[in-house]
Each structure stands twice: as C-alpha cells, then as structure tokens.
Amino acid sequence: MNLTIYRKILLLGCIPIAIFIALFYAYVLPSFGGRYMEARKLGARQVVEMAYTYLEAAEARVKAGELPLEQAQKEATAAITKMRYGGDNYVWIAAPGPKMIAHPIKPELNGKDLGDTKGAKGFKHFVAMDEAAKAPDGGFVAYDQVLPDK
C-alpha cells in the first residue's frame, strides 16, 4: 500500500487517539459509573440513617414521658418529609406491605397500599424497597420513578 507522507503522519496521529478512546470506553467510563453509583448509594444510606436517628430520639422522648406518642409521630413525620438530598431527592415514610405513611411530593398517596404500583418499566419498586428494608443491612433499589396519579 502506497501512502503519501501526509497520510502516514495522519495515520500515526490517529493510532494513539484510537487507543485512548478504546481505553476510555473499556476502563475509565465503567469505572466512573460504578463509583458514581456507589456515591449515590452512600448518600441515600446516610440520609436514611439520619432519619432513623431522628426516630430513635423521638422514641426515647416518648419512653421518658417527655412527649405523647401521637405528637412524636406528627413531629417526626413533618421533619422527615422535609428532608432533601442531592438536589431534588426526598425521603418518604412507608410501612410494611408496602403502605405509604407520608409522601412529601404526593400526599394523596398517604395511607394507600402501593403493592401494585409499577414504575416506568413495569417494575414494582415499592415492593422491592419493602423487601430490601427487611434485610438485616437494608438494601438499594434502582428504579425509574413514576408515581401513580391516584
């Protein structure tokens, strides 16, 4: 194959670029994606732990006779549903079942059984979260959120 000097130089310049692109897609991008997801999981876990700590403190006040149970529940619900993290992420309170106790964005879901609620891809994420919550160390559920209009 007879290549001009210009084409040979151009080809020699393209080889390192092609190698860089291949390495980027094969190693750097997947590594970054994994680290990003781990950081998101850690952030969500920390927010849940903060809410749980708040609940433990409220329970201690009830047991000490400082606060009636109903008032403690009302205050805890108000505080937890105001929690935000990572911009527009929020915390809700659910009971096993899964039954929504308090949702800060769609309060019309409060008190409803969400066992049949499906996300954007037909995934029953509330059921998956209910199961993850029962695990000794909790869990993480990735999903595309679509809240029911009901």
Side-chain angles (χ1 to χ4, degrees), residues 5-76:
I5 298 286
Y6 172 76
R7 289 191 178 174
K8 288 179 184 178
I9 293 172
L10 187 64
L11 184 61
L12 285 175
C14 289
I15 290 173
I17 292 172
I19 292 170
F20 173 78
I21 290 172
L23 287 174
F24 181 80
Y25 279 101
Y27 177 73
V28 176
L29 200 57
S31 174
F32 175 76
R35 289 183 198 154
Y36 174 76
M37 185 55 76
E38 287 305 313
R40 298 245 349 194
K41 288 179 182 181
L42 178 62
R45 178 176 288 280
Q46 289 173 337
V47 171
V48 170
E49 287 172 357
M50 187 170 50
Y52 191 77
T53 300
Y54 187 94
L55 291 173
E56 287 178 325
E59 181 181 35
R61 290 179 66 198
V62 169
K63 286 181 178 178
E66 298 173 19
L67 198 63
L69 177 62
E70 295 78 20
Q71 183 179 350
Q73 289 172 333
K74 188 175 182 180
E75 288 177 9

Side-chain angles (χ1 to χ4, degrees), residues 55 73 76-81 91-95 99-104 110:
L55 291 173
Q73 289 172 333
T77 299
I80 291 171
T81 56
V91 178
W92 70 83
I93 303 169
K99 181 179 179 183
M100 185 61 65
I101 302 299
H103 196 287
N110 297 350

